[in-house]
Amino acid sequence: MSTESQKCPALEIHDLIVSYQKKPVLYGVDLAVPEGSMVGVVGPNGAGKSTLIKTVMGLVSHAHGWVKVFGGELRDSIKRVGYVPQRESVDWDFPVSVMDVVLMGCYGRSGLIKRPGKMEKEKAMQALVKVGLEAYSKRQISNLSGGQQQRVFLARALAQESDLYLMDEPFAGVDAATEVAIVDLLGQIRDQGKTLIVVHHDLATAREYFDMILLLNMRVVGFGKTNEVFNSELLQKTYGGRLTVLSEIAGEVAKQER
Amino acid sequence: MNRVIKFFSFCLFVYLFTNEEGQAARIGELVDTDPWEQIKRFFSFSDRGLQLSLIGAVLFGAVCGLIGSFIVVRKMALFGDAVSHAVLPGVAIGFMWGMEKDPLAILIGATIAGLFGSVLVQAIVRSSRIKQDAALGIVLASFFAFGLCLIRIIQNHEGASRISGLKSYLFGDVAVIDRSDLIIMAIVVVVTVLLFCILYRPFLIISFDRQFAYSLGIPVRFLDAVFQMFLAAAIVISLQAVGVVLVSAMLIIPAATAYLLVDRMSRMIFMAMTLGIMSAALGVFFSFLGSNLPTGPFMVISSSLLFLLAYLFSPNNGRLTKWFKFISLKAKVRDENLLKLLYNYLETHSEAREGIEILISDIANLKKHNQKNMVSDLKRLQKNGAVELVDGKVSLTKEGLSLASTVVRNHRLWELYLTNEADYAADHVHDDAEKVEHLLSEEKVKELELFLDYPELDPHGKPIPGRVNS
C-alpha cells in the first residue's frame, strides 16, 4: 500500500440516512473523499445534494450512519472546514460592508471575543484581491450583483484558510466570465493540497471542472475519477427518474421506527 | 390585522382608563398649567420627579435601541412584540410575590415569563404544522390575557389603591419610576451593553448568516437563548415607562429608523440607541407639558415622527429626497433639450457659434410649440445665463454653447458607442441616446472618448462637437 492511500480521507461518510418529515432524502450514502481532490456533486433537483453538504456540516441531523472529517468528529476539526452556503440563504440588504463579511471568515481563528486585528484585515484583503473585489471592500453588500455576491462568499471562505471546503452551488446566478474565474481559483486551492466538494448544477461543464464526480440521486449512483464515472449509463441512472418505490418503502420504514 | 385589532383595543383601554378616574384630577391640573412655564420648568431640570423620569428614559431608550437593532436586522419584529406581551403574567406574579412593587421580583418574574413565551413559540413551531407567525399570535394573546386576569385578581384582592404601580405596566407612566427602579434599570443596561460589546461579532455573524455561524462552531442556540434573555430584560425595564401594549414599538421604531439612515451595523446600533433616547426623552417632555398625560403613547409618537422624518428625508433613500432629485433631473432634462434644439438649429442653418441670433418663432414652429411657452422657457434659460433674448430673437451665450455642445456630444458619442460596440442598428440608437445624454458623467464621457478613439463623426455622419470651455 502506498502512503497516499493510508492517509485517512478528508471526508468519510458511512451508510448515511437523512429524512425530511419522514421522507428520505439521502439513503445509504457511502463516501470517502481523498485529500487534495476537487469533487463535483451532480444530480437532478431534489437529489439531496445540498442536504448532503448540510448534513456533513451538522446543519441537518441524520437518522442513521456517520460522518467523519479528517478521521474524527466534525467538532474536533471544525476550524479546518469551510462552508459556502447558497447565496440566497442570506439577506443581502444586511447593513454590513463587503469587508465585514469577509472578516467573518477570520472569526474561527481569532476566537470568540477579539475584534479583527490588522493581520486579519490584511488576510481578508488578500482574499478579496484573489476574487477581484478589492475595489468593493467598503461597499455595502446590497450594491453587489449576483456574481459579486458569490465572490464575496468565496473570499470569506478563502479567509478561513480551511483544508476542506464544502460549497453549495457557488456557480448559481454567476455570469460565464466569473464562473471561469471561480473555477480557476478553486483549482488553485486544490493545488495547495486542499479538498473541495462542490455542488454543481450544470452537467455540461461538470466534466471539465472537476477531477472527481459524485453522481447523487438519493443514494450514490457513482463516485470516482471524472472520466471513469462520467458515462451515459451512470448518467442515465442518475437522471432517469426518481426512485419512487425506494422512496415510498423507506418512508414506511421510517414511520414504523418512530 | 393583528396590529389593527391591537390598536382598537388600545384605544378602548385608554378610553376606559381615562373615564374611570383620571378625568377629574387632570382637568384641575390643566387649569393652572401655562405651557411656557412648563417648558421652563422642564429645561431647568430642577423637578425631582422629572430628573428620575429623564434618567429612566435615557437608560431604557438606549437599551431598546441596542436590542432593537438586532431585532430589526434579524426580522424578528413580531417576535419582539410577542415577548413583550408574554411578560405581563410574569409582572403580575412578581408583584404577588411580596404583594408590593418590588422591582427585582418583577424583573425576574417577567424575564422568566418572557423566556417561557419564546420557548413555547419555538416548541409549537418545531413539534407541529403551525408556522411561526400563528404560534406567535397564540402565545402573545394567551399570555397577555392571562396577565390581565392576574392583575384583575390582585386588584380585587388588594383594592385599587395598592396596585396603582401595576397599572403603569399596562399603559406606561414614567412618573412612577422611583430610585429602586432606576438602580435595576442601570444594572440591566450596563450588563447588556457590556455583553453586546463582548459578543458583538458572534451576534453579528449569527444575524447575517446563521448556517455559516453554525459551520464556524459558534454556539448558536446558546447565544440565541442569551439574546432572548436580554430581550426580555430590556422589555421589562421599559414596561413601566411605555406599557406592555406599546413597548415593542420602542424596540422596533428607533432601530428601523436607524436602518433607513445608515448601512453599517455598528453605526446602526449607535444611531438606534441615540434615537431611542431621543424618543423616550421627547415622550417625557410632551407628557410633562400636558401635565402627566400617559408617557408611553407620547414616546411612541415621538419615535414614529422621527421615523417619518427619516423616511422622507434620508439622504440616500428618503422618499422626498428621491422626489426632489427626480424633479430637478426633469428640469435639467427640459433645459438641456431646449439648448440642444438651439444647437441643432444653428448647426443646420448656419454654424454652431455663440451670439448668432435665431427667430424665436422659428424654433417654436420647429417644436410645434406655442410661442408664449417657448418664450417663458427661454426666459428661464436666460436667467441661468445660457441664452440672450433680444426682441423676438434668441442667441446662445458662451456658457449656453458650452452646455449645449456637451449634451450634443454626449448624445452622439452614445449613439456611436451603441452602433459600434453594442451592434445596435443606426436607426434605433437615437431614443436611447435621448435619455442617456443627460446622465453621462464627465468621467464616463472621457472613458467613451478614449474607448472610441476620439471619434469625429456620429453614426449619422454629424460631427461630434469638441469640448468648449466656458
Side-chain angles (χ1 to χ4, degrees):
Chain A
M1 254 193 194
S2 69
T3 49
E4 196 63 22
S5 57
Q6 277 172 345
K7 258 172 94 177
C8 66
L11 173 67
E12 194 177 358
I13 294 173
H14 179 75
D15 199 13
L16 190 73
I17 300 179
V18 180
S19 326
Y20 280 138
Q21 274 151 8
K22 315 233 157 134
K23 283 214 181 79
V25 186
L26 293 172
Y27 202 78
V29 171
D30 281 326
L31 193 66
V33 180
E35 261 190 78
S37 46
M38 183 161 149
V39 182
V41 182
V42 178
N45 283 331
K49 302 184 297 276
S50 290
T51 307
L52 180 71
I53 300 247
K54 283 184 183 161
T55 312
V56 174
M57 290 315 300
L59 301 173
V60 171
S61 54
H62 50 272
H64 184 78
W66 48 257
V67 174
K68 273 186 185 169
V69 177
F70 296 113
E73 292 281 318
L74 172 72
R75 188 169 349 111
D76 300 326
S77 40
I78 197 150
K79 296 214 161 107
R80 293 177 67 192
V81 185
Y83 171 54
V84 180
Q86 284 187 14
R87 186 161 51 87
E88 293 82 13
S89 66
V90 306
D91 169 18
W92 289 94
D93 278 336
F94 200 91
V96 285
S97 69
V98 169
M99 189 59 161
D100 292 335
V101 175
V102 179
L103 277 171
M104 290 177 189
C106 302
Y107 174 90
R109 284 168 201 274
S110 67
L112 197 76
I113 292 162
K114 247 180 72 188
R115 294 269 152 124
K118 206 176 160 193
M119 213 181 75
E120 286 175 296
K121 280 185 181 154
E122 265 167 31
K123 238 177 223 166
M125 202 61 200
Q126 281 168 14
L128 277 174
V129 170
K130 277 188 195 151
V131 299
L133 283 181
E134 67 273 25
Y136 293 80
S137 69
K138 291 202 173 80
R139 286 235 197 144
Q140 204 224 326
I141 52 170
S142 58
N143 300 323
L144 301 176
S145 71
Q148 287 167 337
Q149 291 173 353
Q150 197 67 66
R151 282 188 280 162
V152 171
F153 264 13
L154 218 62
R156 182 176 70 175
L158 288 178
Q160 278 187 277
E161 299 184 322
S162 305
D163 297 318
L164 169 64
Y165 284 109
L166 295 142
M167 306 188 170
D168 206 344
E169 305 232 11
F171 302 117
V174 166
D175 60 278
T178 311
E179 185 163 325
V180 172
I182 293 179
V183 170
D184 199 44
L185 197 64
L186 299 187
Q188 288 173 30
I189 298 172
R190 189 253 337 267
D191 293 342
Q192 293 165 14
K194 299 178 172 186
T195 315
L196 297 112
I197 297 168
V198 182
V199 172
H200 190 49
H201 222 88
D202 184 20
L203 260 186
T205 49
R207 178 171 216 158
E208 51 173 310
Y209 287 171
F210 304 106
D211 29 69
M212 293 185 88
I213 293 276
L214 168 63
L215 293 171
L216 192 73
N217 191 350
M218 216 169 89
R219 84 281 183 223
V220 175
V221 180
F223 176 60
K225 294 251 161 57
T226 305
N227 48 15
E228 291 165 12
V229 180
F230 219 85
N231 56 50
S232 57
E233 187 199 345
L234 284 179
L235 285 176
Q236 180 61 36
K237 244 174 134 180
T238 313
Y239 284 84
R242 303 282 304 275
L243 298 160
T244 37
V245 178
L246 177 54
S247 172
E248 276 166 20
I249 299 297
E252 287 299 316
V253 172
K255 269 181 208 156
Q256 293 296 316
E257 279 172 356
R258 297 277 160 111
Chain B
M1 198 54 210
N2 201 352
R3 306 251 153 189
V4 176
I5 292 170
K6 265 173 58 189
F7 176 74
F8 283 116
S9 59
F10 178 69
C11 293
L12 188 69
F13 266 133
V14 172
Y15 175 70
L16 291 174
F17 183 51
T18 44
N19 263 4
E20 205 178 332
E21 55 202 327
Q23 227 158 29
R26 269 198 199 123
I27 288 167
E29 275 173 53
L30 276 174
V31 173
D32 55 22
T33 331
D34 171 14
W36 183 239
E37 279 302 311
Q38 283 289 79
I39 292 173
K40 273 203 272 184
R41 248 179 83 203
F42 182 89
F43 284 106
S44 68
F45 298 113
S46 54
D47 191 306
R48 182 87 185 112
L50 181 65
Q51 283 172 6
L52 291 179
S53 305
L54 275 176
I55 295 171
V58 169
L59 286 173
F60 86 81
V63 83
C64 278
L66 171 59
I67 303 268
S69 297
F70 284 94
I71 295 273
V72 167
V73 296
R74 290 177 73 167
K75 308 186 188 90
M76 284 169 66
L78 202 59
F79 188 83
D81 203 22
V83 175
S84 70
H85 283 73
V87 297
L88 192 63
V91 171
I93 291 168
F95 190 87
M96 283 160 107
W97 186 260
M99 271 307 167
E100 59 174 354
K101 207 190 102 186
D102 172 5
L104 188 65
I106 288 175
L107 175 74
I108 294 170
T111 308
I112 291 172
L115 276 179
F116 183 56
S118 53
V119 168
L120 212 58
V121 169
Q122 282 153 19
I124 292 174
V125 172
R126 213 171 296 155
S127 63
S128 74
R129 290 168 60 189
I130 305 290
K131 302 289 179 286
Q132 174 145 5
D133 58 335
L136 286 170
I138 294 166
V139 171
L140 178 157
S142 28
F143 271 57
F144 190 58
F146 183 53
L148 285 177
C149 291
L150 280 180
I151 286 181
R152 200 65 199 208
I153 289 166
I154 296 171
Q155 197 173 15
N156 288 345
H157 196 251
E158 291 289 308
S161 62
R162 293 201 54 189
I163 63 132
S164 58
L166 212 48
K167 202 153 234 164
S168 69
Y169 285 98
L170 278 181
F171 307 112
D173 185 0
V174 85
V176 301
I177 291 176
D178 60 26
R179 193 174 260 282
S180 58
D181 290 321
L182 275 188
I183 292 169
I184 295 278
M185 282 168 94
I187 293 171
V188 170
V189 172
V190 168
V191 174
T192 310
V193 170
L194 267 181
L195 181 97
F196 276 84
C197 280
I198 295 169
L199 293 179
Y200 174 71
R201 270 188 96 186
F203 275 136
L204 182 73
I205 299 176
I206 293 174
S207 309
F208 173 62
D209 191 342
R210 207 177 160 77
Q211 294 183 338
F212 186 71
Y214 272 114
S215 83
L216 286 173
I218 294 175
V220 177
R221 293 223 172 132
F222 173 72
L223 288 179
D224 271 353
V226 171
F227 180 77
Q228 277 158 18
M229 202 174 91
F230 279 84
L231 166 65
I235 287 169
V236 176
I237 63 162
S238 319
L239 272 188
Q240 279 196 72
V242 197
V244 158
V245 189
L246 288 177
V247 69
S248 65
M250 289 304 287
L251 285 170
I252 296 159
I253 300 176
T257 312
Y259 184 79
L260 281 185
L261 292 173
V262 293
D263 56 8
R264 291 294 180 283
M265 190 66 194
S266 47
R267 279 177 233 158
M268 177 180 164
I269 292 172
F270 185 73
M271 181 155 271
M273 289 171 82
T274 314
L275 288 165
I277 292 171
M278 276 168 69
S279 317
L282 276 172
V284 174
F285 173 70
F286 285 129
S287 109
F288 188 79
L289 275 194
S291 319
N292 297 326
L293 291 175
T295 41
F298 275 107
M299 287 176 182
V300 176
I301 288 170
S302 308
S303 68
S304 3
L305 285 179
L306 291 173
F307 175 81
L308 186 67
L309 286 179
Y311 177 78
L312 293 178
F313 299 109
S314 156
N316 301 324
N317 301 307
R319 300 311 300 176
L320 277 182
T321 325
K322 275 188 183 161
W323 189 70
F324 281 132
K325 277 184 194 158
F326 175 71
I327 295 290
S328 59
L329 178 70
K330 246 180 117 172
K332 184 180 158 223
V333 168
R334 204 177 41 203
D335 288 354
E336 288 184 352
N337 278 342
L338 190 51
L339 281 171
K340 198 176 63 179
L341 188 72
L342 294 176
Y343 185 98
N344 285 336
Y345 185 89
L346 285 172
E347 195 182 48
T348 36
H349 290 82
S350 56
E351 126 184 67
R353 266 201 300 125
E354 63 179 279
I356 297 181
E357 291 181 327
I358 311 168
L359 276 172
I360 294 178
S361 53
D362 279 356
I363 34 169
N365 285 340
L366 198 69
K367 246 195 137 183
K368 299 188 179 68
H369 235 339
N370 159 338
Q371 175 122 0
K372 226 177 175 179
N373 285 346
M374 186 53 86
V375 171
S376 77
D377 279 353
L378 285 170
K379 276 197 174 142
R380 208 179 46 243
L381 283 181
Q382 188 181 27
K383 237 192 232 161
N384 299 340
V387 297
E388 262 176 61
L389 295 178
V390 187
D391 22 277
K393 287 175 185 163
V394 58
S395 64
L396 284 169
T397 64
K398 201 173 173 191
E399 291 87 55
L401 180 69
S402 158
L403 244 166
S405 44
T406 308
V407 179
V408 172
R409 193 177 74 236
N410 290 354
H411 183 101
R412 293 181 183 168
L413 271 175
W414 189 248
E415 284 189 341
L416 191 65
Y417 176 76
L418 284 184
T419 31
N420 285 8
E421 303 304 325
D423 291 331
Y424 270 50
D427 57 335
H428 287 182
V429 293
H430 177 78
D431 292 340
D432 196 52
E434 280 289 302
K435 283 179 232 149
V436 172
E437 63 190 13
H438 308 290
L439 305 171
L440 283 177
S441 65
E442 192 100 357
E443 294 98 74
K444 273 275 166 283
V445 170
K446 278 185 190 153
E447 224 173 274
L448 278 177
E449 282 181 323
L450 186 73
F451 192 77
L452 296 166
D453 198 19
Y454 303 95
E456 284 173 2
L457 294 179
D458 78 354
H460 311 293
K462 284 187 181 165
I464 295 172
R467 200 173 294 274
V468 183
N469 292 319
S470 58

